[in-house]
Every structure is written in C-alpha cells, then in structure tokens.
Amino acid sequence: MKLDYGRIFLLGFGFFGISLVWSIYNSYVPVFLAKGFALPAAMVGFIMTLDNIAALFIQPVIGVVSDATRTPIGRRMPYLLIGAPIAAIAFALVPLGRSLPLFMGTIIVMLLAMSVFRTPTIALMPDITPSPLRSKANGVINLMGGLGALLAFFVGAKLYDMGRPAPFWVSSVVLVLAILVVFWKIKEPKEYTEKAADAPANLRKDLRVVWAEGGSSALSLLLAIFFWFLGYTAIEAFFTLYGVEVLKIKESSAAFMLGFLALTFLVFAIPSGFIATRFGRRPTIIIGLAIMLASTLVPFFMPSTAVVQIILVTAGFGWALININSLPMVVDISTESLLGTFTGLYYLFSTLAAIAGPTVAGTMIQNTGNNYSTLFLMAPACMAM
C-alpha cells in the first residue's frame, strides 16, 4: 500500500484552517481581555480555558454521533459544513465586540461551533487511510497544522498592525475556504450505507465488542496519553515564567526559545510517521517518551540558557515521535465504524490533561516556594507514568 500524499495534503487543509484560527485566538484574545476590558489575570486565564472545557463535553459526543450519522454527503461532512461557517462568522465578530457581554457571546458561539466540527474533521484521516499508513498520514496532517500556526504568528502579526480585526477576518475566510477544499476533494468511504435508524444500534454493538476484546489496552493507552499531555501542557504553560525566574531572560526570549520545540516538532512530523511505519508505533512512542523524559529532566540539574535551548530541540523530536503516532494507535484499537468515537476519546483524555496540567504544575510550583525548576521534575515524572 502507498499513501496518496496529494489526497492527505488536501485533507490537511481542514487542520490548517483550524490551527490558524486557534493560533490567532490564543495570540490576541488574552490581550483584548486584559487591555480592552481590564480583566484580572485569573479571569483571563479562566476564559482562555473555555475552549478546552467546551471540547471536553462536546467533542467526544460529536465523535459518537458522527459515527452514527448517515447522509448522502457522508457521516462527517454535515458537521464540517454546519460548524465551520458558524465558527468563522463568530470569529470574525470577536474583535468588533466593544462590550464584554457581546465579546463573550461571540467567543462562546465560536468555541461551540469549533467543537462541533473538529473531531469529524480529524476522524476523516483514519476514515480514508488504511491502518498501516495512518502514522504517515497523521504526520502530513500535523505538518499542515503547524504551517497554519506559523502563518498565524508571522503573517497574523503583520495583519494585526494594519488593524486588529484584520487577522480575524482573514483567518475566518481561510477557514471556510479550507473546509470547502476538504468537502470538494475528499470523498468519504461508501461502505457506511445502512439506514440512519439502524446506525446507533450497530454502533453500540460494535463498541461493546471492541471494549470486550481490548478494553484494558484502550484504557491503558488513553491514560498514557493523559499523562504525557499532562507533562507537555505544564511546560507550555510555565516555560516563559521559568525563563524569567530561573534563566533570568526576558519574556520574549523565553517564548522564542520555546518556539524551537514547536519548529523541531514541525520538521520531524512526517519523518516520525516513516519511523513508526518501519519500526512500529508502540516502540516509536516509547523511544519518544524516553527522549522526552531525559530532555525534560536535564534542565532541573543544568539550568543554563544554552543547555535548555539544545534540550528543547531534542524534546521537539521526542514529542513528534509521540504525538504523531498516538492518534493512529488509538483508532487502530477500534473498528472502522467507531473511528469518530475513538477520535473523540483521544481528545477527551488530551483535553483533560490540558485543563489539569497547568493547574497541577502551578500548585506544585506554589507549594515549593515559587520554585519554577520543579516544572522539570513534574514533566519527566509524567513521561515515566
């Protein structure tokens, strides 16, 4: 079997649009909240977790529902065609909200709409890709997502200088165009043709069979995903403060250093899929975890700027080995009819970690006298778990 790279790159436009919107959202919405509405930092932090809270309750449900959906255009496409335009319109209105209730209203609509179509978009990858090729395909998808984030950071900054609505408007248009490309070029498999009324019963039957045969493996893998995301999101949340308090560098310099991890991940996204195809997903993930464990432990003992910068590059490679292959490993446990359900479970556990990671890390730092170096004890412990 050979991967149809052209088809997967076209599917990647969906992830490209989603990543572009989230990157713009995370870059500028906190500024609007803190500077425009004079909200305290704690409130800004809470509002910025609403996307994870919405994802926690909506995305797993949408995964299950989309598995049971039967329409002439497929079981995933209706959610893309409904959710993306609503999200795009709400996102375009975000920078125009001059009162806090209106501003929050547009954000909530946008978050709900994004949660409706994200899982079905990602589930299309295993839908159209045979199991042995899913790591390679996920590498391509993540590469496209990384390109969306880079576009947001570099081009979005220029657009923002032209006027604060500009990056939001451009991102909204790009999101709609990206989803239209997916709808136009990606055709869902035709084997899901049973009547919609029969689909939920078949789904429940398949889920019982899958869980009876591999429930312990599925739960172990999902818990592993929770722990490695717990460690990773803790680093994401507090690395800038670690740079300021421990390395004694500027906030901008610390954020720039963290960019090396993201850039290395992007460079190794596709090669990680090839490595897993050659040696297997489980060994590849275990090697990635070992690299992440060693990389995140070194700064605790050697807190120097030069060492940490090298370590972040190494960690980016390890994180690529883990992250690129985890979703394909999860959906491989399921049957073809349950791909959306298991994609939703993947996002459920990773989102729980994204909510818990900063909280657990912050509590640990506070209880050790604001010792930000303990971040690099928590992260390797999570990788070991």
Side-chain angles (χ1 to χ4, degrees):
M1 290 182 289
K2 292 184 178 180
L3 184 65
D4 186 343
Y5 281 97
R7 189 184 189 199
I8 296 299
F9 269 111
L10 289 170
L11 176 58
F13 272 98
F15 203 37
F16 174 87
I18 291 170
S19 181
L20 175 63
V21 166
W22 281 130
S23 298
I24 295 293
Y25 177 86
N26 289 327
S27 296
Y28 299 112
V29 167
V31 177
F32 296 164
L33 291 169
K35 303 298 184 183
F37 298 108
L39 295 183
M43 182 60 68
V44 173
F46 171 73
I47 292 172
M48 293 306 293
T49 65
L50 291 179
D51 57 331
N52 287 321
I53 294 171
L56 179 66
F57 290 102
I58 297 174
Q59 286 185 189
V61 175
I62 292 295
V64 174
V65 173
S66 70
D67 277 338
T69 299
R70 300 294 180 267
T71 73
I73 60 173
R75 55 180 183 167
R76 315 291 186 202
M77 292 300 178
Y79 300 94
L80 275 68
L81 296 181
I82 293 171
I86 295 174
I89 293 171
F91 192 60
L93 294 175
V94 166
L96 303 180
R98 299 302 176 183
S99 68
L100 185 59
L102 180 59
F103 185 82
M104 290 304 303
T106 57
I107 283 180
I108 290 171
V109 172
M110 175 248 176
L111 295 180
L112 293 175
M114 291 290 287
S115 295
V116 165
F117 77 94
R118 183 177 182 184
T119 294
T121 302
I122 303 304
L124 281 169
M125 185 278 287
D127 276 351
I128 66 172
T129 308
S131 173
L133 303 178
R134 285 173 183 162
S135 286
K136 291 181 180 178
N138 203 40
V140 174
I141 297 270
N142 277 272
L143 173 64
M144 293 293 285
L147 291 174
L150 289 178
L151 185 68
F153 294 138
F154 293 118
V155 179
K158 300 294 184 183
L159 290 172
Y160 189 78
D161 290 338
M162 298 167 57
R164 82 177 203 167
F168 290 82
W169 293 352
V170 172
S171 300
S172 296
V173 172
V174 170
L175 175 63
V176 172
L177 291 176
I179 295 301
L180 288 177
V181 168
V182 174
F183 176 69
W184 178 36
K185 290 294 185 179
I186 304 300
K187 304 303 176 187
E188 294 191 46
K190 298 294 185 183
E191 56 264 33
Y192 306 107
T193 55
E194 67 263 34
K195 294 179 180 178
D198 299 330
N202 294 337
L203 193 66
R204 287 192 294 270
K205 179 181 176 182
D206 288 349
L207 186 57
R208 285 196 298 269
V209 171
V210 169
W211 207 260
E213 292 179 351
S216 60
S217 293
L219 184 59
S220 296
L221 181 56
L222 291 168
L223 287 173
I225 288 167
F226 171 82
F227 278 108
W228 68 56
F229 271 107
L230 189 72
Y232 183 80
T233 55
I235 292 174
E236 271 194 322
F238 286 100
F239 183 81
T240 301
L241 284 168
Y242 168 83
V244 172
E245 299 295 332
V246 178
L247 300 180
K248 306 302 180 182
I249 58 178
K250 296 187 300 182
E251 294 94 329
S252 58
S253 299
F256 184 80
M257 283 178 64
L258 193 59
F260 280 98
L261 191 155
L263 184 59
T264 308
F265 172 82
L266 185 63
V267 169
F268 284 102
I270 291 180
S272 295
F274 278 91
I275 292 170
T277 302
R278 174 67 178 84
F279 297 104
R281 294 187 185 113
R282 184 172 177 272
T284 300
I285 289 175
I286 290 173
I287 292 170
L289 286 168
I291 292 171
M292 283 291 289
L293 193 158
S295 298
T296 55
L297 187 59
V298 168
F300 183 78
F301 298 100
M302 302 176 66
S304 76
T305 302
V307 170
V308 172
Q309 190 159 324
I310 294 171
I311 286 302
L312 288 174
V313 173
T314 308
F317 173 58
W319 186 241
L321 294 177
I322 299 167
N323 200 25
I324 294 302
N325 297 298
S326 55
L327 176 60
M329 197 170 176
V330 170
V331 296
D332 270 358
I333 294 172
S334 76
T335 62
E336 295 299 311
S337 61
L338 292 171
L339 292 175
T341 300
F342 276 77
T343 301
L345 286 172
Y346 170 84
Y347 280 113
L348 171 65
F349 279 77
S350 60
T351 300
L352 279 170
I355 295 171
T359 303
V360 173
T363 302
M364 176 181 273
I365 291 167
Q366 184 173 323
N367 289 337
T368 55
N370 288 330
N371 182 3
Y372 285 88
S373 291
T374 56
L375 183 66
F376 291 101
L377 287 180
M378 174 187 166
C382 290
M383 301 303 160
M385 286 293 294

